[in-house]
Amino acid sequence: MNKKLYSVTAYRIDYNENTSKMKKDYSVFINAEIAGMYKFSDFIVYEEDGIFKELISGIQIPVMEEKIYLRPYDKIPEFPNAQAVIYNYDLIGNYPVFFFLNKVDEAHESVLPELREVDKESLDEYVSFLKNRYSGNDGNYQKNWTKFLQDNLLDELLNYGEILDNNGYSDEYIDEYLDKDGKVKKYNK
């Protein structure tokens, strides 16, 4: 295999904490910050066309891309060359399970580790673990692992969606975009 392989740690939202402040109009990153996160699993992934996929199953493992920009900030007359630091987090993928990756760091402030390439020993351990754990009666660890991973990612998505459906939109969003009946406001031009 000529692809570069990376070891990543994926995180999930902690649904055991208070999730009542999570809202539909908030990003996955904001909701994860509100409720907290904990480790979901370690994966070996490869990148294909800008998408990171788990080694054995080929399932996309979502990435929370961090981008840190410097922008001119002219609001302080005493410091005409001041710069504001802008943080941007975007989820690339379909599930609220993700690993972090810094894509841009103009301020040199990111605390995220670099992607770590996998050595042969770690790769062998990973594959051996999956073979031992997911071979089952049919001996097809790839199929069993893929199903297990798909099921767990889907469970995460369903839990996330259910909580957001129950919590609804933030008060700010409702004031800005919805009328008293909960329908989208019509704006006059």
Side-chain angles (χ1 to χ4, degrees):
M1 178 176 277
N2 294 333
K3 298 176 186 169
K4 285 188 177 180
L5 302 176
Y6 304 101
S7 177
V8 299
T9 300
Y11 296 91
R12 64 176 287 244
I13 294 173
D14 188 353
Y15 299 112
N16 295 321
E17 293 298 318
N18 182 0
T19 59
S20 65
K21 294 182 180 177
M22 293 171 51
K23 301 294 179 184
K24 284 183 175 184
D25 53 298
Y26 294 168
S27 69
V28 173
F29 180 73
I30 299 292
N31 283 325
E33 272 193 323
I34 289 169
M37 297 172 275
Y38 68 90
K39 182 177 171 179
F40 179 75
S41 186
D42 291 321
F43 295 110
I44 292 182
V45 298
Y46 60 93
E47 186 176 9
E48 186 175 87
D49 299 325
I51 295 172
F52 287 91
K53 297 181 178 183
E54 193 275 331
L55 175 65
I56 303 298
S57 66
I59 293 173
Q60 180 182 6
I61 303 299
V63 179
M64 186 65 70
E65 288 186 349
E66 174 188 60
K67 296 176 184 170
I68 303 173
Y69 300 103
L70 289 174
R71 296 291 178 255
Y73 187 74
D74 57 2
K75 305 282 188 218
I76 309 171
E78 297 84 25
F79 299 100
N81 296 325
Q83 293 182 315
V85 179
I86 310 297
Y87 297 88
N88 188 11
Y89 292 87
D90 293 313
L91 181 68
I92 309 302
N94 297 325
Y95 301 102
V97 172
F98 49 84
F99 69 94
F100 288 96
L101 175 65
N102 180 273
K103 292 293 269 189
V104 176
D105 188 5
E106 293 178 353
H108 306 291
E109 288 192 0
S110 180
V111 295
L112 300 178
E114 297 285 322
L115 278 179
R116 187 173 57 88
E117 283 192 51
V118 174
D119 58 31
K120 173 118 175 72
E121 183 179 333
S122 297
L123 175 61
D124 292 343
E125 285 177 17
Y126 184 77
V127 173
S128 177
F129 172 78
L130 292 179
K131 280 182 181 178
N132 289 335
R133 174 100 168 129
Y134 296 99
S135 283
N137 294 337
D138 60 1
N140 190 343
Y141 78 95
Q142 290 135 330
K143 180 185 89 176
N144 296 334
W145 166 241
T146 300
K147 179 166 179 14
F148 177 81
L149 185 55
Q150 282 175 329
D151 290 349
N152 276 276
L153 290 172
L154 186 57
D155 284 348
E156 290 297 317
L157 183 61
L158 292 174
N159 286 339
Y160 184 72
E162 186 176 304
I163 287 170
L164 295 185
D165 282 345
N166 290 337
N167 292 350
Y169 293 99
S170 67
D171 292 339
E172 298 84 12
Y173 182 89
I174 291 169
D175 291 344
E176 176 95 18
Y177 298 106
L178 303 179
D179 63 18
K180 64 182 183 308
D181 297 324
K183 295 181 181 173
V184 176
K185 288 181 182 178
K186 294 185 180 176
Y187 293 97
N188 296 325
K189 290 185 179 183

